């Protein structure tokens, strides 16, 4: 196996480009922030579709590379979902494209960087099958990635006077922790990646400096990331977790990826353009007939888009049985 070969290089698109995990994080969080900022200030802008595509592409590539390293099934599913959403944004229906979302994601990543190889073309040196790297925290990997992106996005407007309610220090600290943990997880899964290990240690040192703690060596600085995250991890743990075979299809995570926005193309023709995880209600969700937001039909409409209404969702168990006369 050649020097510098990492698990993601088994995919030709990543072997040709050889992106570092640090670079993937930088690109994903910047794309996420640009989309968040556009949706906050000018949601009808013509740039929103392109920014949404960039966010799906860069965040999907980050999740895909982490999945290839850690072999975490949650990350693999999330990468596939990013690719499927990216395909929908491009106007490709399931029957219009012969490949799964993951292949489409990799093909678009290769095309973005002007490489001729895309899809799931394998590199000459494939990785050796191994067991998944044990996750050092309770939260699913995709949720940790989302926290990392969201904390960065919230920190930026909080630095201006327009959003005085944002606790910038708290968001910055959470971002240091989540970003450092992702780097540490990637480095632990691939010991050959010395750059990721060094970046994780740098994040640990930065967190200790932020907390005004005495400096430690690199190994203990990386351990400090996990120690500080456990407080958040325990708080976020669901007191009543969903079973793995949950009827809501969340696989025990408590969240389900759902299409929230469709673009109207006339003649009642809508194309899905945005999906994200929402709270799983444990089964098929009905909609309250007296919902004050949508009037009970489950959707709102504005500026050529249809949005899923989440305000009036009720689970089967919460429906009130009709009273007999």
């Amino acid at each position: 196996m050649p020097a510098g070969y990492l698990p993601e290089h088994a995919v030709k698109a990543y072997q040709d480009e050889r992106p570092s995990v640090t670079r993937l994080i930088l690109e994903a969080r910047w794309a996420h922030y640009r989309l968040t900022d556009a949706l906050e200030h000018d949601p009808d802008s013509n740039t929103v579709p392109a920014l949404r595509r960039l966010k799906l592409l860069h965040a999907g590539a980050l999740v895909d590379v982490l999945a290839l390293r850690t072999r975490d099934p949650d990350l693999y599913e999330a990468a596939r979902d990013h690719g499927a959403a990216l395909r929908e944004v491009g106007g490709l229906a399931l029957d219009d494209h012969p490949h799964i979302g993951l292949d489409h994601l990799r093909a678009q990543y290769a095309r973005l960087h002007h490489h001729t190889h895309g899809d799931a073309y394998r590199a000459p040196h494939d990785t050796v099958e191994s067991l998944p790297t044990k996750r050092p925290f309770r939260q699913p990997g995709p949720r940790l990635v989302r926290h990392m992106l969201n904390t960065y996005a919230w920190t930026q407007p909080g630095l201006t006077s327009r959003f005085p309610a944002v606790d910038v220090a708290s968001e910055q600290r959470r971002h240091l922790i989540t970003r450092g943990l992702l780097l540490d997880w990637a480095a632990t899964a691939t010991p050959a990646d010395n750059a990721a290990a060094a970046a994780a240690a740098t994040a640990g040192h930065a967190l200790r400096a932020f907390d005004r703690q005495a400096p430690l060596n690199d190994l203990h600085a990386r351990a400090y990331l996990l120690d500080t995250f456990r407080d958040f991890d325990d708080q976020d743990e669901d007191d009543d977790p969903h079973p793995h075979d949950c009827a809501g299809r969340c696989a025990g995570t408590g969240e389900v990826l759902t299409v929230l926005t469709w673009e109207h193309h006339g003649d009642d023709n809508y194309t899905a353009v945005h999906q994200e995880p929402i709270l799983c209600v444990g089964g098929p969700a009905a909609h309250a007939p007296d919902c004050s937001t949508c009037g009970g039909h489950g959707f709102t409409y504005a500026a050529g888009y249809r949005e899923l209404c989440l305000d009036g969702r009720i689970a089967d168990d919460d429906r009130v049985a009709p009273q007999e006369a």
Side-chain angles (χ1 to χ4, degrees):
M1 188 172 292
Y5 186 81
L6 301 174
E8 61 266 26
H9 297 162
V11 176
K12 201 70 171 70
Y14 299 133
Q15 187 195 49
D16 288 341
E17 186 63 20
R18 298 214 168 197
S20 67
V21 175
T22 301
R23 185 186 114 188
L24 290 168
I25 288 176
L26 289 171
E27 292 172 339
R29 72 181 192 180
W30 180 241
H32 179 77
Y33 165 64
R34 290 185 64 195
L35 175 61
T36 302
D37 185 66
L39 291 174
E40 177 70 27
H41 298 101
D42 191 8
D44 297 327
S45 170
N46 294 332
T47 65
V48 168
L51 292 176
R52 181 173 283 116
R53 184 181 181 280
L54 279 178
K55 186 259 184 178
L56 288 169
L57 179 57
H58 287 300
L62 169 62
V63 172
D64 189 23
V65 167
L66 290 173
L68 289 166
R69 289 197 180 196
T70 64
R71 299 187 180 277
D72 183 82
D74 292 334
L75 288 172
Y76 170 78
E77 292 296 329
R80 190 176 64 177
D81 290 338
H82 275 78
L86 183 63
R87 185 172 55 191
E88 290 177 355
V89 168
L92 295 174
L94 288 175
D95 55 355
D96 291 337
H97 203 274
H99 303 301
I100 64 171
L102 198 54
D103 294 338
H104 183 70
L105 171 68
R106 293 167 179 175
Q108 294 303 307
Y109 182 85
R111 188 168 292 114
L112 177 69
H113 295 94
H114 308 292
H115 297 302
T116 57
H117 301 286
D119 293 355
Y121 290 123
R122 310 298 289 183
H125 305 279
D126 204 349
T127 54
V128 178
E129 291 295 327
S130 60
L131 294 175
T133 303
K134 185 177 179 181
R135 188 168 55 222
F137 38 81
R138 295 180 181 178
Q139 285 193 18
R143 187 180 299 176
L144 183 63
V145 173
R146 290 197 301 274
H147 282 184
M148 185 273 296
L149 297 176
N150 288 332
T151 51
Y152 178 79
W154 272 111
T155 297
Q156 303 311 304
L159 295 174
T160 70
S161 59
R162 293 180 301 167
F163 294 88
V166 176
D167 187 346
V168 175
S170 177
E171 297 297 334
Q172 287 177 330
R173 187 172 186 270
R174 280 178 175 260
H175 182 69
L176 278 173
I177 296 170
T178 51
R179 178 179 174 275
L181 274 181
L182 287 174
L183 289 165
D184 184 68
W185 194 17
T188 301
T190 312
D193 189 357
N194 296 323
T202 299
H205 291 308
L207 178 63
R208 288 192 64 83
F210 190 93
D211 291 344
R212 298 182 179 180
Q213 299 292 321
L216 299 173
N217 61 36
D218 287 356
L219 188 62
H220 287 90
R222 289 170 62 179
Y224 184 70
L225 292 165
L226 182 58
D227 290 340
T228 53
F229 183 71
R230 285 200 178 101
D231 293 337
F232 301 129
D233 211 14
D234 292 339
Q235 292 171 9
D236 292 336
E237 186 71 10
D238 195 346
D239 293 333
D240 186 19
H242 292 216
H244 184 72
D245 59 348
C246 175
R249 299 183 178 181
C250 70
T253 65
E255 295 180 329
V256 59
L257 193 67
T258 303
V259 175
L260 298 181
T261 307
W262 295 261
E263 185 175 5
H264 190 216
H265 298 283
D267 297 329
D268 205 28
N269 180 25
Y270 290 90
T271 300
V273 296
H274 177 62
Q275 62 180 351
E276 63 183 60
I278 65 173
L279 185 66
C280 176
V281 295
H287 207 84
D290 58 348
C291 175
S292 59
T293 302
C294 68
H297 49 76
F299 300 97
T300 59
Y301 300 85
Y305 289 90
R306 184 176 74 180
E307 302 282 347
L308 184 66
C309 177
L310 302 179
D311 294 341
R313 290 193 315 148
I314 53 175
D316 287 336
D317 295 341
D318 295 333
R319 300 181 195 177
V320 179
Q323 298 290 333
E324 294 186 2

